[in-house]
Amino acid sequence: MRESIECALGSMSSADKMVLNRLNENGMAWIVGGWVRDSLSGGNPDDMDIATTLTPEQIKSIFPRSLMVGASFGTVIVRIDGDFGGDSEWQVTTLRSEGEYSDGRRPGAVSFLEEGEENSGILADLSRRDFTINSMAIDSEGRLLDPYNGLNDLKLGVLKSVGVAEERFEEDGLRVLRAFRFLDAGKMGIREMDDSLRSGILSSEEFLQGISRERVGMEMTKILTGENVHSIICQMLPLGVLDRVFENISVELPPELSKEYLVNLALLFRNSGLSGEELASKMRDLLVLSKNDLLEISMMHECRYMSLDVTIESARRFHAAVPDRRKML
């Protein structure tokens, strides 16, 4: 573990280090979430999320170009001056506790936390997160904070909720879909879903209530582009999750799926009985896909029974006539 953390910290960009140093000069800051999870699992950490004792206004005063997109909930998108950070952004969130969730997405109120004694502030902040593997933090000294044994679950390949799964899903129903996304461990295969997490999904029949279809579409796109998408869909089907996402449109799992989400959508609905236009209309309403994506799904669906000429001459005509995007599909 120590080597994994040191390797990840050593690979940070100079911009990452500058942002963390500036925050720690004015308060306290921790790396949290996916960056920590991916570092400890031997993956390539992507965007860095940071938790801090500083308020959104204090963060803005340090980094004037920051976007106050979620300031009322403590979240600021930090951007830095000049070419130093390029297009990089950091999601920086003030340590917080949350009131009750009334809409299945956002807390009715948040309270910003001070650090307190013995890391009480960051520990309280980690307690509101979704899964144990996402509830770890690295402090300014490179030490791991792991109050829910996320590292052990990461090693065992198990996905568990922080606390009671039903409560986590009541707070944000999208966590049901996030659970399946995090089952995908990339080249390491798939994680095993904890029994209590599975029970929580089964009991959360109205998890989509209050969730925007755009958010659902973004999450499903991530699931359908995963390394182990076929295995993940196999687990979603018997739990009835896809029936709820796609409002009981007939879904049939093909022998194989690709890593291209549009192809996978077309394959899942190939025997739905819908026309290409009807399927595109459904995907527009249910996943809020772009016009170009809808056009491609409609085209693939209409061509699903087409007989292909596999001669060299036909392949040449195909290469010359078909747009580059469709060649990739």
Side-chain angles (χ1 to χ4, degrees):
M1 180 197 72
R2 184 68 253 166
E3 291 180 357
S4 296
I5 292 177
E6 290 179 353
C7 180
L9 293 175
S11 67
M12 287 195 307
S13 69
S14 55
D16 290 333
K17 295 176 183 177
M18 187 274 283
V19 169
L20 284 167
N21 288 338
R22 292 289 302 279
L23 292 170
N24 278 308
E25 288 169 1
N26 292 272
M28 299 183 71
W30 297 261
I31 307 172
V32 295
W35 197 96
V36 180
R37 179 195 67 239
D38 292 343
S39 297
L40 294 176
S41 61
N44 297 315
D46 199 355
D47 296 336
M48 180 182 289
D49 291 346
I50 301 171
T52 181
T53 55
L54 300 173
T55 65
E57 291 72 21
Q58 290 172 319
I59 298 168
K60 177 76 169 178
S61 69
I62 300 170
F63 304 103
R65 293 186 64 238
S66 296
L67 303 176
M68 308 291 275
V69 292
S72 61
F73 294 93
T75 299
V76 174
I77 302 300
V78 166
R79 302 187 302 175
I80 56 182
D81 293 325
D83 298 328
F84 183 59
D87 296 328
S88 297
E89 297 179 342
W90 296 260
Q91 182 171 295
V92 181
T93 303
T94 306
L95 298 183
R96 73 190 193 198
S97 62
E98 300 176 340
E100 292 186 1
Y101 286 66
S102 59
D103 62 358
R105 179 184 177 186
R106 292 191 180 96
V110 300
S111 299
F112 296 151
L113 302 171
E114 296 181 356
E115 172 46 22
E117 297 181 359
E118 298 182 352
N119 290 321
S120 63
I122 182 63
L123 293 178
D125 185 88
L126 293 175
S127 71
R128 65 178 177 79
R129 297 176 184 268
D130 50 11
F131 308 110
T132 61
I133 62 173
N134 294 335
S135 299
M136 298 180 282
I138 296 175
D139 68 13
S140 60
E141 301 298 322
R143 294 172 296 202
L144 179 69
L145 281 69
D146 182 17
Y148 300 99
N149 296 315
L151 178 60
N152 187 58
D153 291 339
L154 202 61
K155 290 178 178 178
L156 295 175
V158 176
L159 189 68
K160 296 180 181 177
S161 63
V162 174
V164 180
E166 287 87 347
E167 294 178 0
R168 298 288 80 80
F169 296 149
E170 286 175 4
E171 293 167 352
D172 186 349
L174 200 68
R175 286 172 172 170
V176 170
L177 296 183
R178 283 170 58 84
F180 291 98
R181 172 154 66 92
F182 290 122
L183 282 183
D184 196 331
K187 297 189 181 300
M188 297 174 65
I190 63 171
R191 300 184 173 98
E192 180 181 352
M193 185 179 289
D194 178 67
D195 287 342
S196 62
L197 183 58
R198 186 180 303 275
S199 297
I201 291 173
L202 283 169
S203 65
S204 300
E205 295 183 359
E206 303 300 324
F207 73 90
L208 287 179
Q209 186 174 354
I211 304 298
S212 75
R213 281 291 172 171
E214 185 174 13
R215 293 181 75 211
V216 173
M218 292 173 64
E219 204 63 43
M220 284 302 302
T221 296
K222 293 174 183 177
I223 290 171
L224 291 170
T225 52
E227 189 78 26
N228 303 285
V229 59
H230 194 277
S231 296
I232 300 302
I233 296 298
C234 277
Q235 297 206 35
M236 297 178 80
L237 277 169
L239 293 174
V241 174
L242 293 182
D243 286 339
R244 282 169 267 173
V245 170
F246 295 116
E247 297 185 349
N248 295 312
I249 302 174
S250 177
V251 174
E252 184 175 323
L253 185 65
E256 294 184 23
L257 288 169
S258 76
K259 294 181 183 179
E260 169 55 56
Y261 74 98
L262 293 178
V263 173
N264 288 337
L265 281 173
L267 287 170
L268 289 174
F269 298 110
R270 69 195 187 285
N271 293 324
S272 63
L274 299 172
S275 68
E277 184 178 353
E278 289 170 336
L279 180 59
S281 177
K282 292 287 187 182
M283 294 303 102
R284 180 191 62 219
D285 295 338
L286 296 175
L287 302 182
V288 196
L289 300 182
S290 69
K291 289 183 178 180
N292 286 338
D293 284 352
L294 295 173
L295 178 63
E296 299 302 328
I297 289 175
S298 178
M299 180 277 300
M300 285 187 285
H301 191 67
E302 291 292 348
C303 295
R304 65 194 183 281
Y305 298 129
M306 182 181 294
S307 297
L308 298 178
D309 181 352
V310 295
T311 62
I312 293 177
E313 291 77 9
S314 178
R316 287 173 177 166
R317 289 194 296 271
F318 174 88
H319 189 272
V322 175
D324 290 339
R325 173 69 189 278
R326 292 184 182 173
K327 292 175 187 176
M328 295 174 63
L329 297 177

